[in-house]
Amino acid sequence: MSQTVGVSPEMAGLHTPEARINKHKADWRGWKFMWPFAVVFVFVFIIPIVYAIYISFFKKQMIGGTKFVGLENYTRLFVDQQFWSSVGRVALFTVVQVPIMLFLAAAMALALDSMKLHGTKFFRISTFLPYAVPAVVSTMIWGFVYGAKYGLVGSFNDFFGTNIDVLKPSVLLAAIGNINTWEFTGYNMLIFYSSLSTIPHSLYEAASIDGASEWQIVKKIKLPELRGSLAITVIFSIIGSFQLFNEPSILQNMVPGNAITTYYTPNMYAYNLSFTGNQSNYAAALAITMAVITMAIAYAVQLKSMKEQMK
């Protein structure tokens, strides 16, 4: 025996074409929350980049004012020995300093995750604290420590009768690398530690029951888990190294002689060209070129990391 079920007009209206259109109506509520950031992002990031690209095609002249020169600033840049000297210096800095820093950060993260380190809260805070100190303050602190006539190195020389100078040109880049390592090791350590925290402890227990040693657990379980975070830290570190500015700029007044030149790093070179040499157009071309080089290297690292993770 069949039974007829009554359908209200409101329920019947849900199946009309008009109701289906309303169902897919655009929802702009998310954009209302995002527009403050979008406005700041456009004015602080997008517009300066577009303006830098624009002025890089011009040149200021003593007679005739600003003149459109096309790619002349870029062609001049490719034969500028001072520019390539600064690029080579930061490339060497990146190749040496970044692996050392990330190795220390990974070792600290593994030590924290092992649950065998006493005072883990103090250790975590103390290693991250240098990152919270502004780079200018950190450089000034280390500059006074490095001083051969004052500070820690000077006191060491007076006590032992030595003549150590860590600010001489031959080891100056290593001294700057030590400052950067002190500043950012704790930051990278927290990234690695957060990645290790996602591993379920039941996996460690199962490995221990199967007879795996502590080193085998680190090698087979923990280190593979760090691949994704390693790619992120490498990319961030490369970008930061190629933007090296604060440390050599502050140490420039503390280092005797002319060990830190105006073109010591690409950022210092661009800054001095723009604000001292009145060559803002050429400095803009330099900045755009360095951005392209940095993005290309970061993209290559990311691509390699994605291929490794897909194996």
Side-chain angles (χ1 to χ4, degrees):
M1 184 176 179
S2 61
Q3 184 177 0
T4 303
V5 180
V7 179
S8 64
E10 293 80 2
M11 294 294 292
L14 292 176
H15 301 283
T16 62
E18 183 181 355
R20 285 198 295 270
I21 293 174
N22 291 335
K23 182 179 179 181
H24 296 284
K25 186 178 179 181
D27 190 351
W28 298 95
R29 287 177 295 181
W31 288 98
K32 293 178 181 178
F33 286 100
M34 199 181 76
W35 76 261
F37 166 77
V39 170
V40 174
F41 181 78
V42 168
F43 279 93
V44 175
F45 189 77
I46 301 298
I47 292 179
I49 291 177
V50 174
Y51 181 69
I53 296 173
Y54 171 75
I55 66 174
S56 67
F57 297 116
F58 292 84
K59 182 180 180 181
K60 290 182 180 179
Q61 301 180 125
M62 294 288 292
I63 301 175
T66 303
K67 177 185 176 182
F68 179 78
V69 293
L71 297 176
E72 182 181 323
N73 288 323
Y74 293 95
T75 56
R76 173 189 167 190
L77 192 66
F78 283 112
V79 295
D80 189 343
Q81 294 300 320
Q82 293 181 342
F83 168 70
W84 290 113
S85 173
S86 64
V87 172
R89 190 173 291 108
V90 294
L92 176 63
F93 179 87
T94 302
V95 170
V96 176
Q97 188 265 339
V98 170
I100 294 174
M101 177 181 63
L102 296 184
F103 173 78
L104 292 175
M108 291 179 181
L110 290 170
L112 279 174
D113 191 67
S114 66
M115 301 295 183
K116 296 181 179 180
L117 190 68
H118 297 287
T120 55
K121 291 183 179 179
F122 173 78
F123 181 78
R124 189 163 57 235
I125 293 173
S126 59
T127 51
F128 182 77
L129 189 61
Y131 178 73
V133 179
V136 174
V137 177
S138 300
T139 307
M140 292 185 68
I141 292 172
W142 279 100
F144 284 110
V145 171
Y146 286 155
K149 296 181 180 180
Y150 47 79
L152 183 62
V153 174
S155 300
F156 184 89
N157 288 336
D158 293 339
F159 186 79
F160 291 99
T162 56
N163 191 27
I164 299 174
D165 185 7
V166 295
L167 292 179
K168 60 184 180 180
S170 58
V171 295
L172 180 59
L173 197 62
I176 296 175
N178 178 63
I179 299 174
N180 267 51
T181 303
W182 181 79
E183 287 177 324
F184 295 103
T185 298
Y187 171 78
N188 292 295
M189 181 269 294
L190 284 184
I191 295 178
F192 288 137
Y193 182 64
S194 300
S195 182
L196 291 173
S197 300
T198 61
I199 304 176
H201 287 276
S202 58
L203 194 60
Y204 300 150
E205 295 173 359
S208 299
I209 292 173
D210 289 340
S213 63
E214 190 70 29
W215 167 243
Q216 289 175 326
I217 292 175
V218 170
K219 184 179 179 181
K220 299 295 184 181
I221 299 176
K222 294 185 178 182
L223 290 181
E225 186 65 27
L226 292 179
R227 287 180 180 176
S229 56
L230 180 62
I232 296 173
T233 54
V234 168
I235 291 172
F236 286 171
S237 300
I238 290 174
I239 294 173
S241 297
F242 274 80
Q243 292 179 345
L244 188 65
F245 177 81
N246 287 323
E247 290 80 7
S249 180
I250 298 299
L251 288 176
Q252 191 173 24
N253 297 324
M254 300 182 178
V255 175
N258 196 29
I260 299 180
T261 60
T262 56
Y263 55 91
Y264 194 77
T265 67
N267 272 10
M268 286 187 65
Y269 192 26
Y271 176 85
N272 285 288
L273 283 171
S274 181
F275 294 98
T276 305
N278 196 25
Q279 301 183 59
S280 56
N281 303 96
Y282 186 52
L286 189 156
I288 297 300
T289 303
M290 283 304 303
V292 172
I293 293 174
T294 306
M295 285 190 296
I297 296 174
Y299 178 75
V301 171
Q302 185 179 12
L303 197 62
K304 183 178 180 181
S305 174
M306 291 174 62
K307 288 181 179 179
E308 296 241 345
Q309 291 180 4
M310 291 176 64
K311 290 182 181 179

